[in-house]
Each structure stands twice: as structure tokens, then as C-alpha cells.
């Protein structure tokens, strides 16, 4: 059997005026399809099938994709980081 697992990874760096840098990382595990499917998204979206789904990123509703994607997860963590800094 061919190994067809895949992972998307996104890291967001936030640089503060005082020189401090914080990072937020998001990953999305999945597998590589055998043929492109779907019209949405870009890049590898028509081939990437996230774990727990039978649809590619290109076939998923954009709101669903954004809630499970590596970028969405990293952005959510960065937002939480900024909110916690703002409350200090």
C-alpha cells in the first residue's frame, strides 16, 4: 500500500515593538487523494482530504475548511495570544 498521508502546517509570527516575538502554529492532518476534486480553494486543496472527512478541501464549505485548516487553527491561536496580551 502506498503511503498517502499528508500534513499542512502554518506558523504565524507576531513581532512586538519591544522586540519580543511569539509564534502560533496550526496543523491539519489528512491524506492525498488520487485525483483532483472540487472547485474551491487553491493550490493542493483539490487533492488534500482532511482526517475525518471524505471531501477534499476544495469540496468543503469554506466555513468548515477555515475551522479545521492549518491556517484557521494558527490564526485562532494568534488571536487568543493577542487577546491575552491586550488584557495584561
Amino acid at each position: 500500500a502506498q503511503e498517502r498521508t499528508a500534513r499542512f502546517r502554518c506558523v504565524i509570527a507576531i513581532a512586538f515593538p519591544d522586540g519580543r516575538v511569539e509564534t502560533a502554529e496550526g496543523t491539519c492532518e489528512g491524506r492525498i487523494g488520487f485525483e483532483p476534486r472540487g472547485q474551491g480553494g487553491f493550490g493542493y486543496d483539490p487533492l488534500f482530504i482532511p482526517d475525518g472527512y471524505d471531501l477534499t478541501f476544495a469540496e468543503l464549505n469554506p466555513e468548515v475548511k477555515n475551522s479545521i485548516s492549518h491556517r484557521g487553527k494558527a490564526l485562532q491561536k494568534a488571536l487568543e495570544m493577542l487577546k491575552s496580551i491586550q488584557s495584561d
Side-chain angles (χ1 to χ4, degrees), residues 7 10 14 18 25 28 33 37 42 44 53 55 59 61 72 83 86:
R7 173 184 300 121
C10 177
I14 302 171
D18 64 5
E25 179 179 346
C28 185
R37 296 189 336 234
F42 62 96
Y44 295 109
Y53 293 82
L55 300 175
E59 294 173 304
N61 175 301
K83 284 180 181 178
Q86 190 177 37

Side-chain angles (χ1 to χ4, degrees), residues 45-66:
D45 286 358
L47 288 170
F48 184 78
I49 304 164
D51 284 351
Y53 293 82
D54 292 323
L55 300 175
T56 67
F57 264 176
E59 294 173 304
L60 286 172
N61 175 301
E63 289 78 23
V64 172
K65 177 191 168 194
N66 290 337

